[in-house]
Amino acid sequence: MIRRELYMSRIRPFIGNELIKVLTGIRRSGKSVMLDLIQRELVDSGVNEEQFISINFENMSNAHLCFAEALHEEVTRRVNCIHGKAYLFFDEIQEVVGWEKCINSFRVEFNCDIYITGSNAKLLSGELATYLAGRYVEFVIYPFSFGEFSELYHTVFPDSDSREMFTQYLTDGGMPYLSNLRYAEQPSHQYLQDLYNSVVLKDIVKRNGIRDVDLLERIIAYITANVGTTFSATAISKYLKSEGRAVAPETILNYIKACEDAFLFYRVRRQDLQGKKILTVNEKYYIADHGIREAVFGGNMKDINLIFENIVFMELLRRGYKVTVGKAGEKEIDFIAEKQTQKLYVQVAYLLASEETIQREFGSYDTIRDNFPKYVVSYDEFDMSRDGLKHMNIREFLLSEQWN
């Protein structure tokens, strides 16, 4: 188990206070492990493990607690046996019917510190916003970064170098459990395929009452094949029509939103840098884990430029940046990343193999006159920085503690 300090450093200031800590993210991204890490931190600070109440609602032995009244009764009984503050850990809380009222009741009734996880963005909408408005703090837990992947991969294969690990990361992605399979190709692909099916069936189909599963899978396949490519719901509608499926763009948008709520895809808006406005058409989408794309649909090495983009985009999200795609006249900036007073621009390419490619990637910045850092990231080992524009190898970029 690695400590995932990127997340712990954000959660740590809230440990022990009255705010409810909500951990969200795609299924199997490591939310349960984060609960374990928090418990370890509490024990190290002197808290007795007997003060913990931990329930995983995907465990069948807890099926009888998946109703608010039953859960309230059980937790009340156990809290009354605890001396001092109780620490409540609820994993996949969305499985509990009426859980919002229950969690709010615990907050009011007991001297407690509450942590919950869930695999759907709707966790923080609707009733929760009413019951817990201003009383929770959310942390999105993503699959492993390349840095985290490398740390764990190195414990399995101590002699591996950075280049070898990145090659493995390109196909496997960052789902934490793969280390238990020693990154063996067939078992890893089988695990990722099963994970994908679980996300689709449990977190998208079941939770949204989707009946046309075939249509959903076609839309997912289209978006997955076109990660990092600008398109619209109308474009998907025309594509499906060519395959004999007449579907309204509104229906497609609803299905895509369900996928976003399950943290399978992330939507990226486009920003007009000259007009200084957010564009509402032709957005881009990226997949939460490119390893799932390889296992289910294949083609990562064929589409390596798009996979590089996907990896860089997810790294920017992990580090807390708000990300948009930049449009500067006829040119496009892959990513504009902003966080508080920080801002950086990132162009991503596989190889700067020709002068034409070099001119295109560096030339995207020609009309941008501000002094924020501007990067071109590629697989090239040789530093091609020029005119104040920084070039970095993608491994170096991903492993850098900070960009400036």
Side-chain angles (χ1 to χ4, degrees), residues 129-166:
T130 302
Y131 284 104
L132 302 178
R135 299 189 179 95
Y136 67 83
V137 57
E138 180 191 13
F139 307 93
V140 180
I141 309 300
Y142 300 98
F144 279 166
S145 65
F146 175 54
E148 291 174 318
F149 176 90
S150 300
E151 184 180 344
L152 202 54
Y153 191 86
H154 203 260
T155 65
V156 180
F157 302 104
D159 296 330
S160 54
D161 60 23
S162 176
R163 185 177 299 184
E164 176 187 337
M165 289 188 286
F166 186 70

Side-chain angles (χ1 to χ4, degrees), residues 28-311:
R28 303 291 173 258
S29 60
K31 299 184 295 295
S32 302
V33 171
M34 290 307 306
L35 294 185
D36 291 340
L37 290 172
I38 293 166
Q39 290 178 14
R40 287 189 182 189
E41 186 121 342
L42 286 165
V43 169
D44 290 343
S45 69
V47 176
N48 193 317
E49 287 187 45
E50 293 180 356
Q51 294 172 253
F52 299 162
I53 296 175
S54 185
I55 303 173
N56 184 337
F57 295 103
E58 289 205 318
N59 187 327
M60 279 300 295
S61 63
N62 294 320
H64 65 292
L65 299 177
C66 289
F67 301 92
E69 295 79 6
L71 178 60
H72 183 269
E73 183 179 334
E74 173 68 11
V75 171
T76 300
R77 180 185 66 78
R78 292 168 66 175
V79 166
N80 288 335
C81 299
I82 291 174
H83 300 289
K85 177 176 284 191
Y87 294 84
L88 312 181
F89 302 89
F90 301 120
D91 207 355
E92 300 296 353
I93 191 70
Q94 75 275 354
E95 300 298 328
V96 179
V97 177
W99 67 269
E100 302 95 336
K101 296 179 183 179
C102 202
I103 293 298
N104 190 50
S105 181
F106 296 153
R107 183 188 63 79
V108 173
E109 289 181 67
F110 307 134
N111 175 22
C112 63
D113 187 16
I114 304 175
Y115 303 81
I116 64 178
T117 79
S119 300
N120 198 285
K122 286 184 178 177
L123 197 70
L124 296 177
S125 63
E127 283 192 71
L128 180 58
T130 302
Y131 284 104
L132 302 178
R135 299 189 179 95
Y136 67 83
V137 57
E138 180 191 13
F139 307 93
V140 180
I141 309 300
Y142 300 98
F144 279 166
S145 65
F146 175 54
E148 291 174 318
F149 176 90
S150 300
E151 184 180 344
L152 202 54
Y153 191 86
H154 203 260
T155 65
V156 180
F157 302 104
D159 296 330
S160 54
D161 60 23
S162 176
R163 185 177 299 184
E164 176 187 337
M165 289 188 286
F166 186 70
T167 299
Q168 192 77 33
Y169 186 64
L170 280 174
T171 54
D172 284 0
M175 299 310 294
Y177 189 79
L178 296 183
S179 65
N180 296 65
L181 304 174
R182 297 185 62 83
Y183 304 98
E185 182 177 355
Q186 190 53 46
S188 294
H189 278 208
Q190 183 63 52
Y191 171 77
L192 292 172
Q193 288 167 1
D194 291 344
L195 168 60
Y196 165 79
N197 291 333
S198 182
V199 169
V200 171
L201 292 175
K202 290 186 177 181
D203 299 324
I204 301 177
V205 173
K206 180 182 175 183
R207 194 150 301 282
N208 295 278
I210 290 175
R211 296 182 179 180
D212 196 339
V213 179
D214 175 69
L215 174 61
L216 173 68
E217 290 182 335
R218 286 170 184 255
I219 292 171
I220 291 175
Y222 183 94
I223 298 174
T224 303
N226 292 280
V227 292
T229 303
T230 303
F231 60 83
S232 63
T234 302
I236 301 179
S237 179
K238 290 179 179 177
Y239 164 75
L240 292 171
K241 187 175 182 180
S242 71
E243 290 202 334
R245 293 295 307 263
V247 186
E250 293 84 339
T251 301
I252 293 169
L253 287 172
N254 289 335
Y255 277 45
I256 294 175
K257 182 63 169 63
C259 294
E260 290 182 76
D261 287 341
F263 299 99
L264 180 60
F265 296 123
Y266 289 88
R267 177 176 51 167
V268 191
R269 296 186 181 275
R270 296 166 70 230
Q271 180 180 167
D272 185 341
L273 294 172
Q274 295 176 336
K276 299 188 183 301
K277 61 181 180 180
I278 297 295
L279 303 174
T280 57
V281 296
N282 293 340
E283 297 154 329
K284 289 187 177 184
Y285 291 86
Y286 292 95
I287 193 167
D289 182 71
H290 58 280
I292 294 176
R293 184 186 193 270
E294 174 66 23
V296 178
F297 300 98
N300 276 10
M301 300 309 290
K302 178 172 67 70
D303 300 324
I304 193 165
N305 200 67
L306 297 179
I307 299 306
F308 272 30
E309 271 190 43
N310 205 112
I311 290 171

